[in-house]
Amino acid sequence: MILKGGRVLDPATKTDGVMDVLISGDKIKETAPELCNRFPDEELIDCTGLWILPGLVDMHTHLREPGYEYKETIKTGTQAAAAGGFTTIACMANTLPVNDTAAVTRYIREKAEREGVVEVLPIGAATRGLKGEQLAEIGFMKEAGIVALSDDGFPIRDAEILRLTLEYASCFHLPVIDHCEDLTVSKGGAVHECAMGTRMGLRGIPCISESVVVARDIQVAQWLQTPIHIAHVSCRSSIELIRWAKGQGIPVTCEVTPHHLALTVDDLYQSAYDTRFKVNPPLREAQDLKALILALREGIIDCIATDHAPHDTQSKMVEFEYAANGISGLETALPIALEVGREAGISPSTILSRMTVEPARILGVERGRLAPGMVANLAVFDPLESWTVDPQRLFSKGKNTPFAGKSLIGRVKMTVFQGETVFIDRNNPWEKMPFCGEEPF
Ligand code: DOR
Ligand code: ZN
């Protein structure tokens, strides 16, 4: 198959130009202009006016299987990933049972092999049952195929447990991802701590709930000279600490979500406390958003991760304080990230590097590059198509998006995984090509 005449944009190889991409079997064979003249027998896909991108990498997804299949399954979650242009996703351990044993890791791997349409890399729990007390079966889980450790949903509570986790993780060459939240500060909180939340009678989650743990993590990483990755950074105070740490050469990396780049607590008020805006960490203030965008531009924030957190309707259709935290994010991440970039003067190539090669680098996997010899994982993207987010049309079972009704510019038209087409948009420019995959729920 030849993807013909698209703008090939690959930050890892610093490629940005109109050319053809030849895919042979499950590999990228060659990228060069006018390949179709040399390979006249190949199936041609006209990508004129479209971008050809390395398949996106999400290092922070919640797939909910096993245990919460009513929120998402490996099948629907990977279909959502493909529709969003992602070909590799790392899934968090807060399933039921928790992914804290090799048996659960193997279950996820095998299920993903059978039912998933893109690559699923399981993340193992750092501690048993995410309880922060005893380390999980790290070695056995590594053998079974985990790529990182995280208690996400919860912080690694004690500094001593964090120290042990980092020591064990470094023996097994596993990155550690910490959800930074001091539960003694945030306990019971539902919104960012600010005057409006207090007036509404909602308990607040101040920024220090996050940044005190970021500070601790940096200290432990410095002490051990072992890397730590900070999940979903949300506030300026955390950014200041991470900027300092990077300046000192401390091995810390971090991620930001598209929703923390695009929304603030003001959007939550304007929505009249719509629970689709409820997420942990909470949406912060304009000054935080500004600091996040600046940090993204400077590379202080290494990558964009979706924190795709699908929930069933019942979990969200309750009083704000009882509603589940989380946003369904895989299918809107790329156009939102590009829009944030457009408004802030951050180039598409920089945004793409934060969604491809950078998360791959942190996870230590050979993904997120579009080069000959690499596995053929690609996304074809129309940078100009505008569309309106309709939750009912999402592949994810999680319809919980605060971007419902929002008009976005740019849409994934086709996703190729290991040389196979796993997603084609129903409004595809290749008239004869049928819509790929099942009808969305
Ligand atoms: O909003 C969130 N949802 N934050 C988390 O840390 C966990 C996640 C979930 O699992 O739903
Ligand atoms: Zn998460």
Side-chain angles (χ1 to χ4, degrees), residues 60-62 64 92 94 150 152-154 179 231-232 255 257 280-281 306-309:
H60 190 151
T61 302
H62 295 268
R64 307 300 190 204
M92 285 296 174
N94 62 344
S150 183
D152 181 61
F154 299 99
H179 163 127
H232 43 52
E255 70 192 30
T257 70
N280 189 21
T306 68
D307 197 5
H308 175 75

Side-chain angles (χ1 to χ4, degrees), residues 39-223:
F39 300 93
D41 298 334
E42 293 291 335
E43 178 193 357
L44 285 185
I45 302 201
D46 183 6
C47 293
T48 310
L50 306 177
W51 291 358
I52 303 174
L53 313 172
L56 306 180
V57 177
D58 187 18
M59 65 176 294
H60 190 151
T61 302
H62 295 268
L63 284 179
R64 307 300 190 204
E65 188 172 1
Y68 302 104
E69 288 83 356
Y70 58 97
K71 291 179 190 277
E72 191 81 289
T73 62
I74 287 169
K75 184 173 171 185
T76 59
T78 56
Q79 285 176 340
F86 291 89
T87 49
T88 297
I89 56 178
C91 62
M92 285 296 174
N94 62 344
T95 48
L96 186 69
V98 167
N99 183 18
D100 57 3
T101 61
V104 178
T105 305
R106 270 196 299 273
Y107 175 86
I108 295 168
R109 281 260 179 203
E110 283 164 17
K111 202 89 199 278
E113 197 62 44
R114 278 202 310 275
E115 295 175 12
V117 302
V118 300
E119 181 175 42
V120 174
L121 304 174
I123 296 172
T127 67
R128 289 190 196 179
L130 310 173
K131 288 200 169 74
E133 290 160 3
Q134 294 165 298
L135 293 191
E137 286 183 356
I138 295 174
F140 290 134
M141 286 194 294
K142 165 81 187 192
E143 262 174 37
I146 59 165
V147 295
L149 292 171
S150 183
D151 276 357
D152 181 61
F154 299 99
I156 298 176
R157 209 183 50 198
D158 302 333
E160 172 61 1
I161 296 287
L162 176 67
R163 184 173 76 110
L164 287 173
T165 305
L166 288 182
E167 283 175 346
Y168 270 81
S170 70
C171 297
F172 294 104
H173 306 289
L174 289 167
V176 175
I177 304 167
D178 197 19
H179 163 127
C180 293
E181 176 180 357
D182 185 327
L183 297 170
T184 66
V185 180
S186 65
K187 195 158 175 263
V191 291
H192 170 62
E193 185 179 270
C194 54
M196 185 70 89
T198 309
R199 264 184 240 130
M200 295 303 293
L202 291 168
R203 209 185 141 91
I205 305 173
C207 288
I208 55 154
S209 142
E210 177 177 299
S211 50
V212 288
V213 182
V214 171
R216 179 203 70 176
D217 285 13
I218 288 169
Q219 287 255 302
V220 179
Q222 180 179 30
W223 171 249

Side-chain angles (χ1 to χ4, degrees), residues 294-334:
L294 185 63
L296 182 69
R297 189 208 314 261
E298 292 175 340
I300 300 298
I301 293 178
D302 300 81
C303 67
I304 298 173
T306 68
D307 197 5
H308 175 75
H311 285 293
D312 54 304
T313 314
Q314 273 84 347
S315 297
K316 285 287 193 182
M317 291 278 276
V318 290
E319 295 89 328
F320 196 87
E321 75 177 292
Y322 300 123
N325 281 306
I327 287 173
S328 181
L330 283 167
E331 290 164 84
T332 51
L334 181 57

